[in-house]
Amino acid sequence: MDIFSRLKTDHDRMRSMIKEIKETSDTAKCGQLYQTMHDEVIAHSLVEEKVLYQSLTGSEDAGEKAMEGWNEHHVIEGLLEELILMSPHSAGWKAKFQVLGELLEHHIEEEEEELFEEARKTLDDSRAKTLGQEFDRRKGQMLDALSPLAQAAE
């Protein structure tokens, strides 16, 4: 699977997690779902930056889109960390999650529609496939590294 297909798979999973959390009325389940989403988004973002974004820094158009993505990741990660410290029972949690969901969905859409298009001009098929494999390897390592944190929080 090339990097674009691999990222799209993750993006679809994130969209699904956002929807499931929004539709969950059980706050305990909501907290568990959010912990999974938190770890997935953090791992995805950090690895995407190292694997895809860094490989685009030499390209004018794709590099500019990658830099925008880095900045959006920073904002999204800030909200992720704020929410992880809040209780899903609190009045502000759902409102803050709504904002996070909107930002994340906007970022994903922009990335798939704009960044991927520019990146395809820079990366040949072989490089895109290699980056997809590297993304898988590194994301697995990142999720493994985050899992003890999730267990400690329970």
Side-chain angles (χ1 to χ4, degrees):
M1 193 179 308
D2 72 15
I3 188 67
F4 307 110
S5 299
R6 183 60 190 85
L7 293 175
K8 175 78 166 80
T9 298
D10 264 20
H11 290 168
D12 290 344
R13 179 166 160 71
M14 287 177 210
R15 287 180 183 109
S16 178
M17 287 187 284
I18 291 167
K19 182 178 187 226
E20 187 174 6
I21 291 169
K22 284 180 180 178
E23 294 174 352
T24 300
S25 58
D26 178 345
T27 54
K29 183 179 178 187
C30 187
Q32 292 168 344
L33 291 169
Y34 180 73
Q35 180 66 57
T36 300
M37 181 183 149
H38 171 276
D39 292 353
E40 282 284 330
V41 174
I42 292 293
H44 173 93
S45 296
L46 293 174
V47 175
E48 182 178 58
E49 290 167 7
K50 296 294 182 198
V51 173
L52 179 62
Y53 291 3
Q54 281 189 354
S55 68
L56 300 174
T57 56
S59 168
E60 186 175 331
D61 292 334
E64 186 176 308
K65 291 290 180 195
M67 185 58 66
E68 182 180 340
W70 252 311
N71 286 308
E72 289 175 353
H73 283 183
H74 179 73
V75 173
I76 289 165
E77 288 165 10
L79 284 173
L80 283 165
E81 295 310 316
E82 287 179 31
L83 279 162
I84 203 79
L85 298 173
M86 296 173 69
S87 168
H89 299 283
S90 70
W93 195 92
K94 281 283 190 190
K96 191 173 290 271
F97 182 80
Q98 178 70 28
V99 171
L100 171 65
E102 289 171 5
L103 283 170
L104 192 53
E105 287 172 342
H106 167 79
H107 170 75
I108 289 169
E109 185 177 307
E110 197 170 66
E111 197 168 75
E112 290 176 355
E113 293 176 6
E114 297 175 22
L115 177 68
F116 287 9
E117 182 180 327
E118 293 301 326
R120 281 188 173 95
K121 295 175 188 175
T122 301
L123 305 171
D124 63 28
D125 291 344
S126 174
R127 181 73 176 136
K129 185 175 181 179
T130 300
L131 292 175
Q133 293 166 345
E134 182 69 9
F135 182 90
D136 275 339
R137 184 183 68 77
R138 288 185 177 204
K139 185 170 179 217
Q141 291 171 337
M142 181 65 70
L143 286 172
D144 287 346
L146 290 172
S147 66
L149 296 177
Q151 293 168 1
E154 292 176 359

